[in-house]
Amino acid sequence: MDGIYLLALLTLLSNIMLILCLGLLVWEKIAKKVIWKRKEEYLVNESYKLILIVSGIATFGSLYISEIRGFTPCRLCWFQRIFMYPQFAIMTVMVLKKLKEIFPYTLTLSLIGGLIAIYHYFLQINPNPYAPCGDVGFSVSCSERFFTYFGYITIPWMSFSAFVIIFLVSFL
């Protein structure tokens, strides 16, 4: 199995899980039933590990795509990396040292990185020759798609999905 396909599959599964969790939460509010509480408590207790896993997969996945598969990152990809890589380092230290109160940092980094990622995805699905990095001279265009899996998953969407998961888990 191709490594990029595996990353796309993980993204698809995380998107499905996110939609299911949000659907459960909405259904709980509408039906006035308490089915989410135990899942929420589990998620809060395991949030450090979940953020570590998601940020680790995103960090090493981006390195795999660029360094092993040879896809040159564009300017917006580099900005997304700037906001993802520190989260993996922060969460590794946090899990090892059992530190607390790190979530404001992951929340902020994920919000900014997620906004960059969704803007990057928008540039890919609506190519514009006047995009801010359409002709930068040292990297590829931000609107170039190296691959698309399952009809919508590209590199920026993978990044956006990871940022959304980290943001929501940090928010809880």
Side-chain angles (χ1 to χ4, degrees), residues 55-172:
S55 63
I57 290 171
T59 297
F60 291 110
S62 72
L63 290 171
Y64 169 78
I65 289 170
S66 65
E67 300 305 314
I68 295 174
R69 293 300 302 271
F71 296 120
T72 305
C74 70
R75 181 177 283 177
L76 290 177
C77 288
W78 280 111
F79 288 141
Q80 291 166 67
R81 288 174 177 206
I82 288 168
F83 289 98
M84 182 58 73
Y85 289 8
Q87 292 191 65
F88 178 67
I90 289 169
M91 293 311 292
T92 301
V93 171
M94 184 174 174
V95 167
L96 292 175
K97 295 206 175 237
K98 299 187 184 349
L99 300 173
K100 302 290 180 196
E101 299 304 321
I102 202 73
F103 294 117
Y105 304 110
T106 57
L107 196 69
T108 305
L109 289 168
S110 293
L111 177 64
I112 296 168
L115 290 172
I116 295 168
I118 198 65
Y119 174 66
H120 189 185
Y121 186 71
F122 177 78
L123 288 177
Q124 280 190 333
I125 60 173
N126 299 306
N128 183 349
Y130 302 110
C133 57
D135 202 21
V136 293
F138 69 92
S139 71
V140 296
S141 170
C142 294
S143 60
E144 182 176 339
R145 278 194 238 181
F146 293 114
F147 57 82
T148 303
Y149 286 103
F150 308 110
Y152 75 101
I153 296 176
T154 63
I155 295 171
W157 186 263
M158 290 178 183
S159 174
F160 177 70
S161 297
F163 281 125
V164 167
I165 291 168
I166 294 170
F167 180 84
L168 291 175
V169 171
S170 297
F171 188 75
L172 285 176

